[in-house]
Amino acid sequence: MEGSLRQMVYALFGAHPYKLILSNPRKRGSEGPFGETSYRKIVLNRQGGYWQAEKYTEKQVFHEKFSEEDSAEYILKKLTDTYRQCNGWDGEWEHTIRISKGGKVSAGKKRTTQAPKEQAEHNRKKRYILEEGHVIPPLVDMGIFTGEGKVVCSMYDKYRQINRFVELIDDEIESLPSDRRLTVIDFGCGKSYLTFILYYYLTEVKGRKVRIIGLDLKKEVIENCSRAAEKYGYEGLHFEVGDIGGYDCPYPVDMVISLHACDTATDYALYHAVRWKAKLIFSVPCCQYELNRQMKGGELSILTRYGIIKERAAALMTDAVRGNLLTAWGYKTQLLEFVDLSHTPKNLLIRAVRTVQPKSVREEALREVEALKAQFGFQPTLEGLLYPEK
C-alpha cells in the first residue's frame, strides 16, 4: 500500500493544490495530549511559502504551520497512520485519495464548480517563468520534465529552484541592451545545468540574441557540455577549457555568472566583471578559505576562538567585503538567499547591477571594508585586484 499511496500523494501535489482536507479517521481518541486520532479532520491551506493546518476536535481548533517542502510527506504520513481520505482542490479539479478498511488505495478526480475559496489572492497556483507544457530539452535530460513537458512529481523542488534562479535574473534583465547580441560569461561552469537553462530563457522566453561562453578547467566536462549544446541546437552557447584568473574575453561582456567558483576564484570572476564593466553579476561563492586563514580576533576573539564559528564568520565577512567592493565600483549590490540544484544547504548569491552610485555611498563602502580589515587583520584578494596600488 505504501508504494501505491506515495505515488498518489505526489501526483496530487503535482497538481499544485491550494487546499487539502484529511478526514475519515481510522479510530478516535487514544494518542497524544488530545489524541492525534481525536482530530475529526485536518484542513490545510497553502499560504505562500508554507501550509497552515487547522486541526478540528469536536469543540476546538488547533493550528500548525509547516513548509511546502514537508507537505507531501506530512499528508503521506497522515494517510498511512491516521486518516482514510484526502480531498484536494487546484481551482479546476477536486482530487480524492481513499483507503478502504481492507487497505485498498484508490484515487480519482472530478471537475468542480463549487471548489472552496482560497484564503488569499497570493495562494493561487504560482506561474513560473519556465512553465509546464513546454518541452525544454535540458530539463527533460535532467529528469525534471517528462518528454511531454510536465514536471516529474519527485523533482518539483528542483523545478522551483531552477525557476528561482531564472527569477533572480529576470528581475534585472531589462537593464541590458535590447538592440544587439548579448555576451554572457559563465565562470567555472561545471556540468552547466543552469547555463543551458539560462540560454533557453534568454533566447526562447525573452527572445534575445546571445553569446554565452562557459569556462571550466576540466576538459572532459567541457567536451560533454559542447556535445549537449550541439544536440540542443544552441548555436550561441560555447564552452572553453581555461582558468578564470588568466581569462580575457574578446567581446564586450554584459553579464558574468560564477556559481561555486572555489575560494579566490570567485574574486577573479568578480574582478573580471568589474574591469569589463559588465552590467549584471550573479555569483554564488564557495569554499571561502582565504580570510579564515588570515583572521586574528583581537577584541572580538570570540569570533575566532571556535573553529566552526570562525569558519562561518570568515565566509560571511568574505561576502560582505565583496559586496562592499562592488558597491565602491558603482554596483547596486544585494546578497540574497539561494539554493541550487546540487547543494542542499542555503547559499548566498551576490547580485550586482552596474549603476551610478553616489560618491558618499562608495566611500562609505570602502571605509567599512577598512574597518573590518583593521579589526581582523586580513587582506582580501578582490581588494588587491581592484586596488593594486595598495
Side-chain angles (χ1 to χ4, degrees):
M1 183 182 78
E2 169 70 13
S4 177
L5 178 59
R6 177 177 290 274
Q7 292 172 7
M8 292 177 185
V9 169
Y10 274 88
L12 169 60
F13 276 86
H16 315 304
Y18 62 85
K19 190 181 192 72
L20 300 164
I21 297 179
L22 288 162
S23 60
N24 193 8
R26 297 169 188 263
K27 58 182 181 177
R28 294 177 181 270
S30 59
E31 301 173 16
F34 303 99
E36 178 63 19
T37 53
S38 68
Y39 296 121
R40 294 184 297 108
K41 65 178 180 179
I42 300 179
V43 179
L44 302 101
N45 291 287
R46 190 191 294 272
Q47 298 282 351
Y50 65 93
W51 285 83
Q52 176 77 45
E54 299 171 350
K55 302 179 177 183
Y56 289 81
T57 67
E58 294 296 334
K59 298 181 179 180
Q60 293 177 285
V61 180
F62 299 88
H63 295 87
E64 179 183 0
K65 286 199 307 186
F66 53 91
S67 68
E68 284 199 37
E69 290 76 8
D70 298 331
S71 55
E73 289 297 322
Y74 179 93
I75 296 296
L76 178 61
K77 185 177 189 309
K78 296 303 180 189
L79 287 174
T80 301
D81 300 337
T82 310
Y83 295 94
R84 297 187 185 277
Q85 183 166 329
C86 178
N87 295 72
W89 290 265
D90 64 12
E92 182 179 3
W93 298 89
E94 179 183 356
H95 304 260
T96 305
I97 299 174
R98 291 189 177 92
I99 305 170
S100 71
K101 291 184 178 180
K104 182 179 178 181
V105 184
S106 61
K109 68 177 183 178
K110 63 180 180 180
R111 291 188 182 275
T112 177
T113 57
Q114 296 181 334
K117 292 182 179 180
E118 299 178 58
Q119 287 194 344
E121 182 70 20
H122 64 261
N123 289 338
R124 298 187 186 276
K125 180 177 175 181
K126 179 177 174 64
R127 290 183 61 87
Y128 290 105
I129 294 174
L130 303 178
E131 291 187 302
E132 287 187 89
H134 300 276
V135 178
I136 304 176
L139 290 182
V140 175
D141 284 351
M142 291 161 63
I144 294 174
F145 270 14
T146 66
E148 292 74 40
K150 297 293 185 182
V151 178
V152 176
C153 291
S154 61
M155 302 296 284
Y156 194 74
D157 283 348
K158 292 190 183 297
Y159 171 63
R160 283 191 309 214
Q161 290 166 16
I162 287 171
N163 272 282
R164 175 58 177 155
F165 169 73
V166 174
E167 288 167 0
L168 289 169
I169 293 175
D170 189 68
D171 289 343
E172 304 293 346
I173 201 66
E174 297 306 321
S175 65
L176 295 181
S178 58
D179 58 348
R180 62 171 175 80
R181 190 179 192 183
L182 302 175
T183 297
V184 180
I185 306 295
D186 185 356
F187 282 125
C189 60
K191 294 181 181 179
S192 301
Y193 295 134
L194 292 179
T195 318
F196 289 115
I197 298 302
L198 177 63
Y199 186 88
Y200 175 88
Y201 158 74
L202 289 173
T203 58
E204 299 296 327
V205 178
K206 303 303 291 186
R208 298 294 188 95
K209 294 181 179 179
V210 298
R211 175 194 298 110
I212 298 182
I213 300 172
L215 188 77
D216 201 276
L217 288 170
K218 299 176 182 177
K219 182 179 178 181
E220 182 179 353
V221 168
I222 292 300
E223 290 173 348
N224 290 337
C225 291
S226 296
R227 284 193 291 268
E230 184 177 357
K231 170 187 172 183
Y232 301 143
Y234 291 176
E235 296 180 355
L237 179 55
H238 308 282
F239 296 93
E240 301 177 10
V241 177
D243 176 66
I244 295 176
Y247 184 76
D248 205 0
C249 183
Y251 314 104
V253 177
D254 299 286
M255 184 192 309
V256 169
I257 296 197
S258 171
L259 304 182
H260 299 285
C262 190
D263 199 19
T264 58
T266 294
D267 297 302
Y268 283 93
L270 297 178
Y271 165 65
H272 288 315
V274 171
R275 74 182 183 88
W276 290 332
K277 298 181 179 179
K279 180 67 175 179
L280 299 180
I281 301 171
F282 298 90
S283 176
V284 177
C286 181
C287 307
Q288 293 110 313
Y289 302 124
E290 182 189 34
L291 298 196
N292 191 15
R293 291 191 293 261
Q294 298 179 26
M295 282 176 63
K296 302 176 181 62
E299 293 182 0
L300 295 178
S301 58
I302 189 173
L303 294 178
T304 59
R305 178 175 299 120
Y306 309 103
I308 186 65
I309 299 298
K310 181 181 179 185
E311 180 183 335
R312 293 180 182 178
L316 291 172
M317 289 182 196
T318 300
D319 291 335
V321 167
R322 287 166 172 161
N324 270 37
L325 290 174
L326 290 174
T327 299
W329 279 80
Y331 283 84
K332 181 186 74 175
T333 308
Q334 298 169 288
L335 268 63
L336 307 170
E337 189 175 86
F338 177 72
V339 181
D340 80 357
L341 302 184
S342 57
H343 295 69
T344 52
K346 295 175 180 177
N347 299 283
L348 287 179
L349 179 140
I350 300 172
R351 180 170 69 183
V353 182
R354 192 166 185 269
T355 183
V356 178
Q357 291 280 27
K359 183 179 179 181
S360 60
V361 172
R362 292 185 281 114
E363 289 179 344
E364 178 62 20
L366 285 179
R367 278 195 295 270
E368 290 174 346
V369 171
E370 290 299 326
L372 205 58
K373 285 168 53 184
Q375 178 63 56
F376 290 96
F378 54 66
Q379 181 60 51
T381 290
L382 182 58
E383 185 186 36
L385 292 169
L386 293 174
Y387 299 96
E389 69 280 0
K390 283 193 175 183

